[in-house]
Amino acid sequence: MRVMAQIAMVMNLDKCIGCHTCSVTCKQAWTNRQGTEYVWFNNVETLPGQGYPRRWEDQEKWKGGWERTRSGRLRLRAGGRLAKLGKLFANPDLPEIADYYQPWTYEYKNLTEAPAGQDLPVARPVSQVTGEPVDKIEWGPNWDDNLGGAPEHGPKDPVIEKIREEVGEKIRFEFEQSFMFYLPRICEHCLNPACVSSCPSGAMYKREEDGIVLVDQDRCRGWRMCVTGCPYKKVYFNHHTGKAEKCTFCFPRIEVGVPTVCSETCVGRMRYLGVMLYDADKVAEAAAVEDEQDLYPAQVECFLDPHDPEVARAARASGITEEWLDAARRSPVYDLIATYQVALPLHPEYRTMPMVWYVPPLSPVVDAVAATGRDGEDAGNLFGAVDALRIPVEYLAEILTAGDTHVVEAVLKRMAAMRSYMRRINLGEERDESLARAVGLTGTELEDMFRLLAVAKLEDRFVIPTAARPEAEALADGHPLPAEEAGCPVGALPSPKATLNLGATRRNP
């Protein structure tokens, strides 16, 4: 058992209101400079929809992630060394700027400096990339927000295309029969990152101390193989510097125990940060399981119980400090993933072992049940309504469990049981332990889950150990570190400390 630790994130989709505050604050902090006009490290997509970039889930086209060979080994979907060599100077498996969007601004000076006259001045849209006028704005990072243009764009959702025949009339795009929910996305900081193995120059690396995936700007040569390799399309090319860039998980903040910008500014308080301990020796085997629907349970098996004395001893032997062990024991992420089992990974079939997980949305099931004249908080009614959710379980399963609807149904029933159980308590009725037993939990666990999902304070949602205590105390005392030590996002990122060889074909070509 080789114990390693990683800072991970869970997002509760039931609480996302689609305000995009996380996207805006991330944009201001990390991508507000030349060359990153089209880049959004954090974006919020309305589902169903094509997403950003358009149809990023279509790996038949973009060749992202891993695939399993007949021999049971993993290989990059984009190909190995010879394939990369042939595409080194002209990689065809890349989204174009039109797949993202042509970033634009307006000629505001025409409005503010136009001389007095009979004509009404106009501020034409101008490309921020080329500086040329944009004749027609046809797409944006949030073009199909709140189902905008759904009758035209919704059917082009790759997940919809995949399951339409299976679910039939359950997915339609007439207004009165539509459904939607929000999906915030950042880099997944995977345990088996395809972007790292795709990089010919070794510039992409996964930090050994906290699992954050970064780009060494000094070593990056702009080959853009990492853009192809990432199935989530969360690696971007800066056309001004000629370097790759990606979400850094706000590592300068994480190192001193502060939440990421997107987490701290989230209006819905739906993000959780914490430490996950895992057995690095199991990752390669888990990522290469034959059945895609076994990938989720295989990844869960990689996670270690921080309360287990044997795990604690092995963690100390691996150099994990007591502060990190304590944070792992108090981790809200571990509770949501392993204890309550309500958080699921995004597209596990990509075999990258993602470390940003999601609690699937249950709303508005209560209102839907109540509209029929029945008790919307009754457990029996709620359990029955899960199968008839406006958001088809099949759609959620394709996104979170490689199509395994049983896992998603189990999660939604735990959420429904929590609502019904807490309703009885709030009404002063006796606790009904049968509700908890029906979903494999105890009443105490349901109450703890409610506190975490519904009313948790900041210190409960973000349990982040510092990377180095002396440096953290220096910052807290008002003595800032030099930029190169603090990991200043404006300059070059620090050189890689280690690239973990977790997968069967993880080594750089």
Side-chain angles (χ1 to χ4, degrees):
M1 180 168 57
R2 184 159 59 102
V3 182
M4 300 194 74
Q6 169 147 355
I7 301 291
M9 180 184 288
V10 168
M11 302 191 207
N12 182 5
L13 299 184
D14 234 8
K15 298 175 70 175
C16 182
I17 62 175
C19 65
H20 303 278
T21 303
C22 53
S23 300
V24 173
T25 52
C26 176
K27 185 72 174 174
Q28 289 297 316
W30 290 100
T31 60
N32 61 349
R33 55 210 146 71
Q34 188 175 359
T36 61
E37 295 88 354
Y38 78 101
V39 174
W40 295 82
F41 287 168
N42 182 111
N43 71 291
V44 181
E45 299 171 0
T46 299
L47 294 183
Q50 296 187 58
Y52 163 82
R54 275 192 267 196
R55 295 175 58 83
W56 62 269
E57 294 162 297
D58 185 359
Q59 303 312 325
E60 294 298 322
K61 179 179 181 181
W62 302 125
K63 312 296 184 187
W66 302 88
E67 60 184 0
R68 188 178 186 272
T69 65
R70 292 182 179 180
S71 62
R73 295 173 61 87
L74 290 182
R75 68 181 177 195
L76 292 169
R77 188 181 290 270
R81 297 182 181 181
L82 291 178
K84 284 185 173 54
L85 184 61
K87 298 182 290 188
L88 198 58
F89 298 101
N91 183 2
D93 303 319
L94 286 174
E96 299 179 357
I97 193 67
D99 295 309
Y100 294 100
Y101 72 109
Q102 182 72 250
W104 74 89
T105 184
Y106 293 94
E107 295 177 325
Y108 292 109
K109 286 187 177 181
N110 288 355
L111 301 180
T112 60
E113 299 179 4
Q118 297 298 319
D119 298 327
L120 184 67
V122 176
R124 296 186 303 171
V126 177
S127 169
Q128 291 181 299
V129 176
T130 65
E132 299 295 325
V134 179
D135 296 330
K136 185 178 181 182
I137 298 175
E138 297 179 330
W139 196 256
N142 224 18
W143 198 261
D144 44 10
D145 189 32
N146 291 334
L147 297 183
E152 178 183 353
H153 302 297
K156 299 176 183 177
D157 181 335
V159 177
I160 294 290
E161 290 180 349
K162 184 176 181 180
I163 67 173
R164 179 175 288 281
E165 292 184 3
E166 177 183 351
V167 299
E169 290 298 306
K170 292 178 71 172
I171 296 182
R172 300 181 64 180
F173 288 96
E174 286 81 357
F175 175 78
E176 68 278 5
Q177 297 185 14
S178 63
F179 70 92
M180 58 170 261
F181 63 97
Y182 301 110
L183 180 73
R185 291 204 305 119
I186 64 172
C187 168
E188 296 288 325
H189 297 277
C190 308
L191 295 183
N192 187 35
C195 59
V196 172
S197 292
S198 298
C199 179
S201 58
M204 301 281 296
Y205 66 100
K206 185 175 178 66
R207 298 211 307 188
E208 187 174 8
E209 62 269 32
D210 54 19
I212 296 175
V213 177
L214 296 174
V215 184
D216 181 355
Q217 298 286 285
D218 291 332
R219 299 182 67 177
C220 179
R221 297 294 177 265
W223 300 119
R224 289 175 278 187
M225 298 298 177
C226 53
V227 180
T228 299
C230 175
Y232 303 98
K233 292 297 170 278
K234 279 299 175 181
V235 184
Y236 304 91
F237 181 70
N238 185 318
H239 57 82
H240 178 67
T241 64
K243 307 286 187 177
E245 296 190 19
K246 62 178 295 299
C247 162
T248 66
F249 216 69
C250 292
F251 73 89
R253 298 169 60 92
I254 293 292
E255 287 174 354
V256 294
V258 179
T260 63
V261 169
C262 60
S263 298
E264 191 163 35
T265 59
C266 175
V267 174
R269 300 182 180 181
M270 46 79 73
R271 299 188 187 225
Y272 302 80
L273 291 168
V275 175
M276 293 294 291
L277 301 181
Y278 65 95
D279 186 352
D281 291 334
K282 289 184 176 180
V283 172
E285 180 182 355
V289 296
E290 183 175 2
D291 190 340
E292 290 182 346
Q293 294 188 356
D294 291 334
L295 286 164
Y296 159 66
Q299 184 170 356
V300 173
E301 285 294 318
C302 294
F303 299 139
L304 301 172
D305 184 357
H307 303 282
D308 186 340
E310 186 64 31
V311 171
R313 282 192 293 270
R316 295 186 188 100
S318 298
I320 296 175
T321 65
E322 290 298 327
E323 182 184 11
W324 277 67
L325 275 174
D326 177 65
R329 296 186 186 103
R330 297 184 294 113
S331 171
V333 173
Y334 177 82
D335 286 338
L336 293 172
I337 291 175
T339 304
Y340 312 131
Q341 298 180 10
V342 292
L344 301 170
L346 181 64
H347 286 296
E349 68 271 19
Y350 299 159
R351 299 182 182 271
T352 59
M353 310 288 278
M355 290 301 285
V356 176
W357 289 39
Y358 295 85
V359 178
L362 182 62
S363 297
V365 65
V366 173
D367 292 337
V369 173
T372 66
R374 298 181 174 85
D375 186 349
E377 297 284 357
D378 180 79
N381 293 336
L382 285 179
F383 286 170
V386 165
D387 295 329
L389 278 178
R390 199 170 190 180
I391 304 174
V393 173
E394 294 88 349
Y395 187 87
L396 294 174
E398 285 295 333
I399 295 172
L400 301 172
T401 59
D404 189 348
T405 58
H406 299 293
V407 174
V408 176
E409 288 172 355
V411 171
L412 295 177
K413 286 180 178 179
R414 288 192 188 100
M415 301 284 287
M418 178 192 72
R419 291 189 181 190
S420 186
Y421 185 89
M422 293 306 302
R423 181 235 196 176
R424 293 180 62 87
I425 294 177
N426 292 333
L427 292 178
E429 301 176 3
E430 292 185 4
R431 289 170 168 79
D432 187 355
E433 289 292 331
S434 64
L435 289 174
R437 289 194 298 270
V439 294
L441 297 173
T442 66
T444 301
E445 288 176 326
L446 284 183
E447 292 183 45
D448 291 341
M449 185 170 80
F450 170 78
R451 279 192 289 270
L452 184 58
L453 290 175
V455 296
K457 298 184 181 298
L458 185 142
E459 60 270 18
D460 300 317
R461 292 185 288 118
F462 308 133
V463 180
I464 309 166
T466 56
R469 174 62 64 184
E471 287 82 354
E473 291 175 348
L475 287 176
D477 292 338
H479 302 291
L481 298 172
E484 64 271 14
E485 293 185 35
C488 179
V490 176
L493 297 178
S495 298
K497 294 186 178 180
T499 299
L500 306 182
N501 187 18
L502 301 180
T505 56
R506 279 287 314 285
R507 299 191 66 83
N508 295 321

